[in-house]
Amino acid sequence: MADQAGPGTELEQDFDVLVLGAGSGGYACALRAAQLGMRVGLVEKDKVGGTCLHVGCIPTKALLHAAEVADAARESEQFGVHATLDGIDMDGVNGYKDAVVDRLHTGLSGLLKGRGVTTITGSGRLTSPRTVEVDGTTYTATHVVLASGSYAKTLPGLDLDGRVVSSTEALRLTEVPRSVVVLGGGVIGVEFASVWRSFGAEVTVLEALPRLVAAEDEACSKALERAFRKRGITLRTGTAFESVETTDDGVRVHVAGGDVLEADLLLVAVGRGPATDGLGYDDQGVAMERGFVLADERGRTNLDGVHAVGDIVPGLQLAHRGFAQGVLVAEDIAGLDPTPLDEALIPRVTYSDPEVASVGLTEAQAREAHGDAVETLTYDLGGNGKSQILKTQGFVKLVRRTDGPVLGVHMVGSRVGELIGEAQLITGWDAWPEDVAPLVHAHPTQNEALGEAHLALAGKPLHAHS
Ligand code: NAI
């Protein structure tokens, strides 16, 4: 069913660009293509906005903000303010979170309508390189963009039920669990562990690898682990999950080595898989690998006129990567010859307390690429006035090529996610520490820590020991 009439009845089923999936990658592509004067159809089986808006980035960050408010009340004495945390009302938290999502959803729907994008509600299937069938109706287009997103994976033999949940169900809890085992110490696991601990739950994170957020610089993992332990979160790193039994009032989680962890709930956060099954991609001969759609640096698949963006394309499964790919594909279709994305320069933020934010190469990756010609500098937030005011600990770690540019920036601490923009410009523009050092940073800001780190790496530390 087409929700919104196109320019004419006939045109409703024939487009320049037909996008399959209205998540971050898909809707960004639709918006940009429409802006470039193309007739655009956008197929979505659920709500426009996809995982990020409805069951990902936005609702989880709303929960994390509620968690921050709870912590502020609990820790208010530290600032000489008398406040008490009387409890968490999950109906209230969910009401706040859902209102944020609803407002953004209404805004996005209006934006798509305003740009003249025809939204087609229903489940789409690729039936040829030029056609998509949606609940029995065939839509045709000169270009089809596959943007069907991802789903929360689980492990073989581990079924989700009432007490064994994925992040999707975890967002809809009506009560704060007394205790939780979080399976997976990646981004999702760490963010939920942070929320639940702030809400008062006993939390254990189970991670098979030796450290949390293992894709980050090792120093960030260590600092996050230290902060989590201090917050009373139990960490079982280097410990693989074996099985779970569901009892009347909880779960018994068996882990490698024979230990059994008991809790109210088990959150499964072991990664997200590409949502490509049964959508006709294989049948039509789209080149795929382990369920992912293979696309080149311009988002073109092996089939002429068929493009792919977002979580179905191997790489970082991040909304902002999807936005950028969507825009790129629309511009490529329009013949604008856009510059391909540099995936290595996509910023990453984990919004736990403390936050972890990074861009570019980790120290280990830089050493692999450049051997000994790598220098690092770690600026402790202990020397940063604003961080002391906020009572947060952490650091800014810079990785540079000797006599060369900054290759990576890695940060831990409250609110450091907001600092990633400058770090991204520095790495994206191949700036040297000596280029950044003369730039004046406002005092007192946390942003100043980035400036001070570059001053120190350029050999002239101000509020840092030589
Ligand atoms: P992930 O891949 O980041 O982490 C999954 C973790 O589970 C890994 O560390 C893995 O070693 C562990 N694991 C797997 N099997 C295990 C087992 N049998 N026993 C113990 N540990 C096991 O996946 P996650 O956290 O589910 O996130 C999925 C995607 O969503 C990621 O690509 C992430 O980038 C994205 N995301 C991004 C956010 C952000 O940017 N703030 C927030 C949430 C998700």
Side-chain angles (χ1 to χ4, degrees):
M1 183 194 81
D3 286 343
Q4 189 205 330
T9 322
E10 249 174 71
L11 292 183
E12 270 184 340
Q13 291 186 23
D14 180 37
F15 301 95
D16 297 319
V17 178
L18 187 55
V19 185
L20 181 48
S24 307
Y27 84 67
C29 184
L31 285 171
R32 184 69 181 123
Q35 198 173 49
L36 291 167
M38 291 183 261
R39 292 167 305 133
V40 182
L42 179 62
V43 182
E44 172 55 52
K45 66 177 158 52
D46 200 346
K47 290 183 188 162
V48 296
T51 300
C52 172
L53 177 52
H54 298 285
V55 288
C57 332
I58 298 299
T60 50
K61 272 58 210 182
L63 284 189
L64 280 154
H65 182 65
E68 189 183 335
V69 174
D71 287 333
R74 187 186 287 115
E75 292 155 15
S76 60
E77 284 294 336
Q78 289 186 28
F79 304 92
V81 176
H82 299 294
T84 49
L85 177 64
D86 293 334
I88 306 293
D89 162 22
M90 279 311 292
D91 286 343
V93 171
N94 287 330
Y96 148 69
K97 161 178 75 69
D98 295 344
V100 173
V101 172
D102 286 349
R103 255 195 319 277
L104 290 170
H105 177 237
T106 304
L108 175 62
S109 306
L111 200 59
L112 287 164
K113 201 168 170 189
R115 294 256 179 106
V117 172
T118 302
T119 305
I120 302 156
T121 306
S123 217
R125 195 168 184 284
L126 189 72
T127 45
S128 86
R130 296 286 177 277
T131 54
V132 171
E133 190 187 296
V134 185
D135 300 336
T137 305
T138 296
Y139 295 85
T140 57
T142 316
H143 294 270
V144 174
V145 181
L146 311 178
S148 42
S150 62
Y151 66 93
K153 284 197 298 195
T154 178
L155 298 173
L158 175 57
D159 297 326
L160 303 181
D161 70 19
R163 293 193 173 273
V164 180
V165 299
S166 76
S167 56
T168 305
E169 294 76 41
L171 281 166
R172 300 194 190 117
L173 298 186
T174 50
E175 280 175 35
V176 177
R178 272 169 310 163
S179 54
V180 195
V181 172
V182 173
L183 169 52
V187 191
I188 293 183
V190 157
E191 289 186 352
F192 272 98
S194 189
V195 168
W196 280 325
R197 185 63 191 142
S198 297
F199 284 175
E202 292 300 325
V203 180
T204 302
V205 182
L206 185 60
E207 169 56 58
L209 295 175
R211 57 190 173 98
L212 298 184
V213 290
E216 297 294 340
D217 192 281
E218 200 169 343
C220 293
S221 299
K222 283 206 174 113
L224 180 67
E225 287 169 10
R226 224 173 10 251
F228 265 23
R229 284 203 183 93
K230 216 166 142 191
R231 291 184 58 195
I233 297 173
T234 305
L235 303 181
R236 297 291 304 260
T237 48
T239 310
F241 166 87
E242 286 201 331
S243 64
V244 63
E245 300 164 58
T246 309
T247 63
D248 284 346
D249 52 1
V251 290
R252 289 165 54 83
V253 181
H254 297 260
V255 305
D259 284 356
V260 179
L261 314 174
E262 297 197 25
D264 284 1
L265 202 70
L266 173 67
L267 169 69
V268 181
V270 293
R272 296 185 64 86
T276 52
D277 239 18
L279 300 182
Y281 302 174
D282 261 340
D283 303 343
Q284 296 309 317
V286 176
M288 299 179 66
E289 205 175 274
R290 294 175 299 113
F292 287 94
V293 174
L294 300 179
D296 68 11
E297 57 177 15
R298 288 167 189 275
R300 297 177 186 174
T301 70
N302 61 315
L303 300 184
D304 191 36
V306 179
H307 313 252
V309 298
D311 286 2
I312 60 170
V313 180
L316 290 172
Q317 293 173 311
L318 297 174
H320 42 282
R321 170 178 175 261
F323 291 142
Q325 288 176 326
V327 169
L328 180 101
V329 163
E331 294 185 352
D332 184 46
I333 291 172
L336 296 183
D337 194 21
T339 308
L341 298 189
D342 186 343
E343 297 249 344
L345 293 176
I346 293 174
R348 308 169 291 260
V349 181
T350 303
Y351 299 85
S352 46
D353 177 25
E355 292 186 345
V356 179
S358 64
V359 63
L361 301 185
T362 62
E363 180 176 349
Q365 289 166 338
R367 292 203 183 280
E368 213 177 296
H370 302 283
D372 288 340
V374 169
E375 284 170 34
T376 68
L377 180 125
T378 302
Y379 178 81
D380 194 299
L381 293 185
N384 175 253
K386 186 60 188 272
S387 298
Q388 292 310 297
I389 291 165
L390 296 174
K391 285 184 178 282
T392 186
Q393 294 178 341
F395 60 78
V396 173
K397 174 175 174 177
L398 304 180
V399 179
R400 84 175 292 187
R401 188 157 56 72
T402 306
D403 293 328
V406 179
L407 303 170
V409 180
H410 307 275
M411 299 179 282
V412 178
S414 293
R415 304 184 185 181
V416 294
E418 301 297 337
L419 307 185
I420 202 65
E422 183 183 0
Q424 174 181 359
L425 294 183
I426 291 167
T427 51
W429 282 339
D430 285 336
W432 289 36
E434 291 77 6
D435 297 324
V436 183
L439 302 175
V440 177
H441 289 72
H443 176 78
T445 59
Q446 280 186 294
N447 181 239
E448 207 181 356
L450 260 174
E452 294 254 0
H454 285 87
L455 276 169
L457 192 51
K460 37 184 177 178
L462 181 58
H463 297 97
H465 298 287
S466 303

